[in-house]
Amino acid sequence: MIGPSMAIVEHMCNIVRKLLVANRGEIAMRVIRTAHEMGIATVAVYAEQDRSAQYVELADEAYLLPGDTYKDTYLNEDLLVDILHRSGANAVHPGYGFLSEVPDFARKVEQAGAIWVGPHPQALVDLGDKITARRVAKAAQVPPVPGVSEPVRELRTLLDFAHTYGYPVMMKRTDGGGGRGITVVRDDDGMRRFFMNHDAMQGGDLDEYFIEKFIDKARHVETQCGRDRFGSFTVYSTRDCSVQRRNQKLIEEAPAPFLPAEVTSQLEMYSRSLFNKVDYIGLGTCEFMVTPQRKVYFLEVNPRLQVEHTVSEEVCGLDLVREQITIADGGHLTPAPTPRGHSFELRITSEDPATNLTPSAGTLERIVWPSGPGVRIDTGVEPGDTISPKFDSMMGKVVITAQDRAKAVARVRRALDELVIEGVPTPISLYKRIFNDDEFTTEHGSMFTVSTKWLERKYLGREPSTVRAGQPASLSAPAAGQDSAREEKSESFVIEVDDRRVKLTVPSDIVNNLMGAGRARGAKRPTQPLRGSGLHTVESGKAKDLGRSGVIASPMQAVVTRINVAEGQDVAKGDLLVVLESMKMENYVYAPVNGTVHKIFVSPATGVEAGETLVTLDVDGAKDKPKGDATTAAAASGDKSGKQTKGGAR
Ligand code: ADP
Ligand code: ADP
Ligand code: MG
């Protein structure tokens, strides 16, 4: 019989004493901070590029992960377990991305006798795969988005589904994440093209996809949940994450606005059923789409901490990393109090609004974060740091809280005026427009004005990319997008007129001309004086012309992940040529016209610069029989994914 004292000893062993943080950047900082507040020692790991990163300094100990690839470093399960032993840590926090949803790694940690700060490995198995998660949902009486909860095998099934439910539909990778692995298909032709491009017979990955109805004009609403080993369940807050690009979140808020109380209770009820169904122990997020008719569809469960957990913390007043560690320790969760106030999170990425938010690498020259009441900054970068194309483009998060939504909006505007980032482009100018846009800031009766495609449609001037549409690249900004592009290309100077400070904003073209002339007389050009403006623009016009002449150039600095054609192969307009990856975003490069592949200039795993030639085509002008309505050579950015670990690691 185990006496009480034995039980106490056993419990004592299960307390997190020393925590290995198997992640990098801002989330590593976030976890280390709470660990230190709890008196827990911390161990960081770092790849060479991160040697001087802030989180490495902040941890009590740090271990190098030698190697160049994600696989060698942040995804190197065995090395991480080895470091767990060497450091004497007795727990692992995976952060988000990387190994956070990998059941095998969670198992290895547990087998090593350490505490996994996350749900048990079986919950990761049940929920990590989107098809299994849909099945769990059905069993829990939670309706998923209409779809087929089976891997794709036959074109016929896809066409039948589309004809029953109507186009557009979404093809989703079952292991997708972070917006990757999602393709919108708008007609039979597009469906056939998708099927061909991914057909297993051609070495594709068709069976890793499933089909879902495309829910238009809906909001992305989610619940931040927690459940402990005693079966207590709580929703710390709801969140709305409808401002997205490439199916990935940019702006989030808590609590989710404009929802009737019945919808909120339905979301909570569904979430509780999902968590109970898999005996989930830990923190996690249930994601839903809410239609303008307030119908709720289940999307997925993210069995980990999420980027946007911050806004829930702000309105529920709890430290969610502390909650995670307490639950992993076998303790009780804190039942969430009624949310107080309203909080927004703005992801500060190195993406250029002038080129439809294409990620861009570079070196941070200057940063001035906002401060003052209600401002929280979570970041892991400093001036001088390089934003590498190898990693995610997110540099930090600005989290703004006030007593209600309107006051939070006003506070965001004020904070954005204080925020300065120089050296890499950022969406700051776009955020200023959004927080001054009545469609975003105000409730409009029963209709949602903002939905998940709102940002792309209104500000980036593009429909979500589709297979049919011949890939309106993130590069070719049509009507509305050009507006923002034009606005981006200006620079500001402070001058004094009669001893009074005056700010002068001048179109960049004029500045360039003046400075060109000025430089001859020794004038010095200020370094990147405009807040958040872009240095790294992609020359879309050039890419277009190159396409017509048969030269297919890379739209961005990237790594080649797949070449889908061979020299001498005939291709039709719209066929997939090359897959690129940059900053965790996949870009599919399609044939702009019919022709024959003349020469391939790159090979898989090689790096390419923006504008570098990938492939040349002998253009087959006379026999041009278009398959779609593609008009330009370009890459369809983002909405598709390659074979990657969830969370984007390679
Ligand atoms: P991820 O794992 O990449 O987060 P999700 O399934 O959560 O994948 O979807 C991410 C985003 O893609 C959603 O927030 C939404 O904007 C969009 N999306 C996903 N599924 C659908 C759908 N069936 N209809 C419309 N939009 C969708
Ligand atoms: P989701 O979009 O799936 O609901 P998140 O927004 O929390 O959830 O992040 C999605 C995924 O995107 C994460 O699993 C992570 O892999 C990746 N991700 C997003 N931002 C970053 C970042 N700054 N660093 C690393 N990974 C990131
Ligand atoms: Mg998601």
Side-chain angles (χ1 to χ4, degrees):
M1 197 186 87
I2 300 176
S5 56
M6 278 290 282
I8 289 169
V9 171
E10 192 185 312
H11 190 64
M12 293 275 293
C13 297
N14 257 341
I15 295 289
V16 177
R17 284 180 287 101
K18 190 169 184 179
L19 182 65
L20 171 65
V21 183
N23 214 301
R24 63 185 293 273
E26 69 87 17
I27 190 61
M29 297 278 286
R30 169 72 197 84
V31 173
I32 291 169
R33 284 183 165 136
T34 292
H36 287 176
E37 286 177 23
M38 296 175 78
I40 297 168
T42 51
V43 180
V45 288
Y46 60 99
E48 312 223 357
Q49 299 94 315
D50 288 329
R51 182 168 277 128
S52 54
Q54 257 182 320
Y55 77 92
V56 178
E57 288 292 312
L58 199 67
D60 298 308
E61 285 170 41
Y63 289 78
L64 175 69
L65 301 169
D68 228 16
T69 62
Y70 272 161
K71 212 161 163 290
D72 293 338
T73 57
Y74 297 102
L75 286 182
N76 192 335
E77 300 179 16
D78 294 333
L79 179 56
L80 288 163
V81 171
D82 182 48
I83 292 171
L84 181 64
H85 288 305
R86 275 194 279 154
S87 64
N90 76 331
V92 174
H93 193 301
Y96 51 70
F98 294 131
L99 295 169
S100 59
E101 296 181 49
V102 178
D104 279 347
F105 181 60
R107 250 179 236 122
K108 283 181 194 173
V109 169
E110 290 187 347
Q111 277 157 11
I115 298 168
W116 169 253
V117 184
H120 54 78
Q122 190 55 42
L124 294 178
V125 173
D126 294 341
L127 300 170
D129 174 296
K130 287 189 204 286
I131 292 183
T132 346
R134 286 176 60 93
R135 292 184 189 147
V136 169
K138 283 191 180 157
Q141 321 257 298
V142 176
V145 175
V148 181
S149 306
E150 295 284 343
V152 171
R153 293 213 174 82
E154 288 172 14
L155 180 60
R156 191 68 257 158
T157 330
L158 302 180
L159 294 172
D160 285 350
F161 178 86
H163 297 161
T164 309
Y165 286 90
Y167 284 105
V169 297
M170 271 191 149
M171 302 306 304
K172 282 185 162 181
R173 272 188 71 97
T174 163
D175 64 348
R180 278 154 309 152
I182 296 179
T183 308
V184 181
V185 178
R186 293 186 182 272
D187 55 26
D188 283 357
D189 229 23
M191 187 60 94
R192 287 193 194 96
R193 176 90 42 83
F194 176 89
F195 190 86
M196 270 165 50
N197 279 337
H198 292 273
D199 189 4
M201 299 290 284
Q202 299 176 27
D205 49 6
L206 198 55
D207 58 347
E208 286 162 39
Y209 281 87
F210 67 102
I211 188 170
E212 240 178 46
K213 182 164 173 50
F214 176 83
I215 309 288
D216 201 6
K217 306 222 162 57
R219 294 184 80 113
H220 173 119
V221 183
E222 58 187 35
T223 52
Q224 172 66 65
C225 309
R227 187 171 176 275
D228 62 26
R229 69 164 63 181
F230 310 98
S232 302
F233 172 86
T234 199
V235 172
Y236 294 102
S237 88
T238 56
R239 292 190 288 254
D240 187 302
C241 316
S242 300
V243 179
Q244 305 185 352
R245 46 82 179 89
R246 302 183 286 268
N247 301 311
Q248 213 196 347
K249 302 153 186 168
L250 263 185
I251 299 175
E252 299 101 336
E253 59 183 299
F258 318 138
L259 290 183
E262 315 86 81
V263 174
T264 308
S265 24
Q266 185 160 52
L267 291 167
E268 291 191 7
M269 201 183 75
Y270 284 166
S271 306
R272 181 191 296 270
S273 305
L274 286 161
F275 268 43
N276 286 347
K277 193 81 209 162
V278 298
D279 190 19
Y280 193 105
I281 298 168
L283 260 60
T285 298
C286 300
E287 296 191 331
F288 303 90
M289 305 278 292
V290 180
T291 72
Q293 295 73 37
R294 306 299 190 267
K295 209 166 159 21
V296 174
Y297 290 117
F298 166 73
L299 266 185
E300 63 163 346
V301 177
N302 287 140
R304 53 173 164 84
L305 200 64
Q306 268 178 303
V307 174
E308 64 274 21
H309 73 279
T310 52
V311 288
S312 298
E313 293 190 316
E314 294 306 309
V315 299
C316 78
L318 295 169
D319 177 334
L320 294 182
V321 175
R322 183 183 278 266
E323 288 290 300
Q324 284 190 300
I325 294 175
T326 305
I327 295 172
D329 270 347
H332 289 269
L333 60 72
T334 317
T338 312
R340 247 182 90 236
H342 201 92
S343 187
F344 285 104
E345 174 180 275
L346 284 65
R347 299 192 189 196
I348 307 299
T349 57
S350 61
E351 296 182 354
D352 193 345
T355 57
N356 278 343
L357 294 172
T358 304
S360 178
T363 301
L364 275 161
E365 286 164 13
R366 185 164 166 243
I367 310 180
V368 180
W369 292 112
S371 59
V375 178
R376 162 178 172 181
I377 306 296
D378 278 26
T379 179
V381 296
E382 296 168 305
D385 282 357
T386 298
I387 308 304
S388 155
K390 287 190 177 163
F391 296 119
D392 191 274
S393 64
M394 196 176 80
M395 301 181 286
K397 312 181 294 203
V398 172
V399 183
I400 304 290
T401 311
Q403 69 261 47
D404 58 38
R405 193 171 190 267
K407 293 190 181 72
V409 166
R411 189 164 274 173
V412 169
R413 292 185 194 138
R414 183 271 291 175
L416 286 173
D417 282 339
E418 291 179 28
L419 176 58
V420 185
I421 294 185
E422 293 173 5
V424 293
T426 71
I428 297 170
S429 60
L430 178 61
Y431 290 163
K432 287 185 181 172
R433 300 173 76 198
I434 293 171
F435 279 87
N436 281 291
D437 185 332
D438 171 65
E439 286 182 12
F440 175 80
T441 58
T442 319
E443 181 171 10
H444 293 261
S446 62
M447 279 307 291
F448 291 151
T449 44
V450 171
S451 63
T452 52
K453 302 291 176 256
W454 176 78
L455 178 81
E456 289 181 339
R457 286 180 179 145
K458 180 160 187 184
Y459 285 98
L460 303 183
R462 66 193 272 262
E463 282 291 301
S465 61
T466 67
V467 174
R468 186 212 63 177
Q471 323 325 326
S474 69
L475 313 172
S476 44
Q482 266 154 23
D483 217 40
S484 65
R486 210 177 303 126
E487 204 182 84
E488 278 317 294
K489 297 214 166 73
S490 61
E491 296 187 16
S492 299
F493 302 87
V494 172
I495 59 172
E496 280 162 13
V497 180
D498 290 341
D499 290 342
R500 184 168 165 256
R501 272 170 69 91
V502 179
K503 192 162 146 200
L504 189 67
T505 301
V506 188
S508 292
D509 290 353
I510 294 176
V511 179
N512 287 333
N513 289 340
L514 285 175
M515 285 303 171
R519 231 170 264 131
R521 295 192 300 270
K524 199 163 164 251
R525 183 179 175 148
T527 38
Q528 186 71 353
L530 217 215
R531 291 166 184 190
S533 85
L535 278 179
H536 309 265
T537 54
V538 179
E539 291 168 64
S540 53
K542 202 160 117 195
K544 252 185 252 177
D545 295 343
L546 289 175
R548 292 211 181 90
S549 69
V551 179
I552 312 298
S554 175
M556 60 190 57
Q557 188 187 29
V559 175
V560 176
T561 51
R562 199 164 109 205
I563 295 166
N564 214 42
V565 288
E567 286 177 6
Q569 184 178 330
D570 286 341
V571 291
K573 177 167 155 181
D575 279 354
L576 177 65
L577 302 176
V578 176
V579 183
L580 302 172
E581 189 179 317
S582 178
M583 308 192 98
K584 291 180 138 195
M585 184 175 105
E586 275 216 335
N587 300 276
Y588 281 35
V589 180
Y590 296 88
V593 286
N594 294 354
T596 308
V597 177
H598 179 73
K599 194 164 165 51
I600 297 171
F601 290 83
V602 291
S603 50
T606 51
V608 289
E609 295 299 319
E612 198 175 319
T613 303
L614 301 170
V615 171
T616 48
L617 297 180
D618 289 329
V619 178
D620 194 4
K623 286 178 283 169
D624 197 18
K625 39 182 194 318
K627 272 189 183 177
D629 57 3
T631 49
T632 63
S637 289
D639 296 6
K640 293 133 195 150
S641 156
K643 294 185 192 194
Q644 289 176 344
T645 306
K646 179 145 185 165
R650 281 151 220 230

